[in-house]
Amino acid sequence: MKKIVINGKEEKFNIGKIVCVGRNYAKHAHELGNDVPKEPMLFLKTSSCVINSGEQVEHPSYSENLHYEVELVLLIGSTLKDANDKQARNAVTAYGVGLDMTLRDLQNELKTKGSPWTTAKVFDTSAVLGDFVSGDNYELKGNERIWLSVNGEMKQNSFLNNMIFNIPTLIKYISSRMTLEPGDLIFTGTPEGVGRVISGDKLEGGIQGIGKVTTTIK
Ligand code: MG
């Protein structure tokens, strides 16, 4: 069981699969030298990656380039297969803010080889979950600001409506490829401004209307 803080209250969840969307903001795709995808690009993390806001990210010894990515995270509340528009709109139990920590050097190496990104994205402490608000309490407008600072300096600063694929589109697409189940999480992609962090760095991210996520690098 993992802990998720929803509306300021800790709740226990069996987190299922964590579906992550890559290159969902055009400027971020470009900053890493990638084209904008024609359909959502997906990869997975595991529930063993999850830590909560305030806990430390452990820097793996086998990487020299640990990156932050602040993202809107969706907590799925129903079973969805080939969701229609209405099902996709009603599928989100809570909206949250999270960090998709990434080993950029490994990812680049794996990309070059045409190998899966697994070891660049899946390591203990690589999915940091911050505040969530329940879908009953908050209607996402879509134009909320999303930001992240490192040691007080703003690094990522964008708006959710810069996403290439919006939330219903992502949920419909993902559920056409794999059944979504209660307790699954979707990391919806990061805006531009990603970068390296080292031991001792203090990260603070947030989404307007939803809340914050904080961590330090061990
Ligand atoms: Mg990401």
Side-chain angles (χ1 to χ4, degrees):
M1 295 283 262
K2 297 279 183 179
K3 184 175 87 179
I4 299 183
V5 179
I6 303 179
N7 304 332
K9 228 177 71 203
E10 279 185 15
E11 295 188 35
K12 297 274 190 197
F13 278 88
N14 279 315
I15 293 176
K17 57 187 165 297
I18 304 173
V19 185
C20 304
V21 183
R23 303 172 193 166
N24 199 24
Y25 291 75
K27 285 184 186 168
H28 169 65
H30 292 146
E31 76 180 342
L32 296 182
N34 298 305
D35 291 334
V36 171
K38 296 204 167 47
E39 59 181 27
M41 202 198 57
L42 307 180
F43 61 91
L44 298 174
K45 285 188 186 255
T46 61
S47 62
S48 59
C49 298
V50 169
I51 59 169
N52 290 102
S53 194
E55 296 177 327
Q56 284 194 306
V57 169
E58 304 213 13
H59 195 315
S61 59
Y62 47 86
S63 171
E64 297 296 322
N65 201 4
L66 172 65
H67 274 210
Y68 54 80
E69 299 186 354
V70 67
E71 311 201 2
L72 171 70
V73 183
L74 312 175
L75 173 63
I76 297 297
S78 51
T79 300
L80 291 169
K81 185 173 168 59
D82 295 320
N84 60 31
D85 287 301
K86 189 173 173 222
Q87 290 165 330
R89 276 199 306 275
N90 294 330
V92 180
T93 288
Y95 300 97
V97 54
L99 302 175
D100 165 16
M101 301 303 294
T102 301
L103 306 177
R104 197 70 71 199
D105 46 357
L106 268 69
Q107 186 190 32
N108 289 337
E109 215 177 290
L110 293 164
K111 256 161 69 176
T112 306
K113 289 190 208 157
S115 299
W117 295 357
T118 310
T119 55
K121 289 290 192 176
V122 178
F123 53 96
D124 291 355
T125 74
S126 66
V128 189
L129 299 182
D131 297 324
F132 281 69
V133 289
S134 85
D136 297 335
N137 290 43
Y138 187 73
E139 192 174 348
L140 199 74
K141 291 161 203 71
N143 60 355
E144 288 85 349
R145 194 166 80 90
I146 179 169
W147 58 273
L148 178 134
S149 68
V150 179
N151 303 324
E153 189 183 328
M154 194 65 76
K155 298 288 189 182
Q156 294 188 278
N157 193 6
S158 187
F159 293 91
L160 296 181
N161 56 8
N162 287 323
M163 282 187 195
I164 296 166
F165 303 105
N166 66 20
I167 291 158
T169 303
L170 289 175
I171 292 172
K172 280 168 62 179
Y173 180 82
I174 295 167
S175 77
S176 77
R177 295 295 190 265
M178 62 190 94
T179 298
L180 283 166
E181 298 172 300
D184 287 350
L185 295 173
I186 300 174
F187 275 65
T188 58
T190 198
E192 72 277 12
V194 300
R196 184 182 179 208
V197 280
I198 56 170
S199 178
D201 281 345
K202 189 175 184 310
L203 280 62
E204 186 174 48
I207 299 175
Q208 183 187 8
I210 293 178
K212 281 189 184 177
V213 59
T214 60
T215 188
T216 52
I217 310 300
K218 196 173 174 185

